[in-house]
Amino acid sequence: MINENKPTDWATQQSDAVQRMREGGGLPGLARAEQIAGKSGRQILKAMEAGELPYPPMNDTMNLALLEVGEGRAVFQGIPLLAHYNPLGSVHGGWFASLLDSALGCAIQSALPAGWSYTTAELSIKIVRSASHKTGPLRATGRLVHCGDRLATAEARVEDEHGKLYAHATTTCLVFDLSKRDA
């Protein structure tokens, strides 16, 4: 667990998280059904965090890492790169959307029982400050607001190491029992 009361080097924490996943055997990819069978959403995320399950390939593309998972809470961090720039010379809004959607969705996933899944139905983002490759690590903390048997909602904030706000978001996700889903 991340000690938020102690000053830390966020870039090192991200690098350590990725290294831990890879040392555990985790590579980008998709988990097979038998690998996640019987696991709750939180157990799946913890297994991913430990490298026991593959992590989303998009994490490498967007330079994101899952740092922490709790009940109804997920922390992702990203370090924007030049590859994430828009034509105006700052980090593309889609990078912020990916970082926020990851934290929001996984906050919801962490509360789901075994055999349940989710998909984003609505994502509302407010970017309040631009970022660049010089900004350094940005951390998104997602928190579950509500989880019902059809809909779940969550909120998240993106901040830098000094607590400066860069973006915030809310989401509504559809939640569903995988055994009742049409193939």
Side-chain angles (χ1 to χ4, degrees):
M1 181 174 207
I2 301 165
N3 182 351
E4 295 187 18
N5 298 321
K6 178 182 163 204
T8 56
D9 175 1
W10 280 17
T12 300
Q13 284 182 355
Q14 184 169 339
S15 175
D16 290 350
V18 172
Q19 183 177 347
R20 241 187 340 272
M21 281 189 289
R22 291 193 176 143
E23 284 175 356
L27 295 171
L30 299 174
R32 295 183 314 278
E34 63 270 13
Q35 289 178 294
I36 61 173
K39 288 183 171 65
S40 70
R42 185 173 178 196
Q43 289 171 322
I44 292 168
L45 292 168
K46 285 293 202 182
M48 200 178 299
E49 188 180 25
E52 297 162 6
L53 288 174
Y55 62 89
M58 185 188 77
N59 285 10
D60 286 348
T61 302
M62 302 305 268
N63 200 25
L64 307 178
L66 172 63
L67 295 185
E68 183 180 337
V69 176
E71 189 67 32
R73 183 173 184 274
V75 180
F76 272 79
Q77 183 171 290
I79 302 173
L81 304 173
L82 285 171
H84 305 130
Y85 271 43
N86 63 29
L88 301 174
S90 63
V91 174
H92 193 279
W95 185 86
F96 281 104
S98 295
L99 177 61
L100 284 159
D101 193 42
S102 296
L104 291 161
C106 289
I108 289 170
Q109 181 178 346
S110 73
L112 295 178
W116 281 72
S117 192
Y118 72 96
T119 190
T120 303
E122 178 272 336
L123 178 64
S124 177
I125 300 171
K126 309 296 186 271
I127 300 170
V128 299
R129 180 173 280 107
S130 66
S132 74
H133 65 284
K134 296 177 184 175
T135 303
L138 295 175
R139 188 169 286 179
T141 302
R143 288 183 171 73
L144 179 71
V145 174
H146 168 78
C147 190
D149 62 356
R150 295 187 187 271
L151 293 175
T153 59
E155 58 192 12
R157 295 171 57 93
V158 173
E159 298 175 339
D160 68 10
E161 289 183 86
H162 308 290
K164 189 183 294 184
L165 180 68
Y166 280 77
H168 55 98
T170 58
T171 193
T172 301
C173 290
L174 302 173
V175 294
F176 49 90
D177 181 341
L178 287 169
S179 69
K180 296 179 182 178
R181 186 174 76 169
D182 293 332

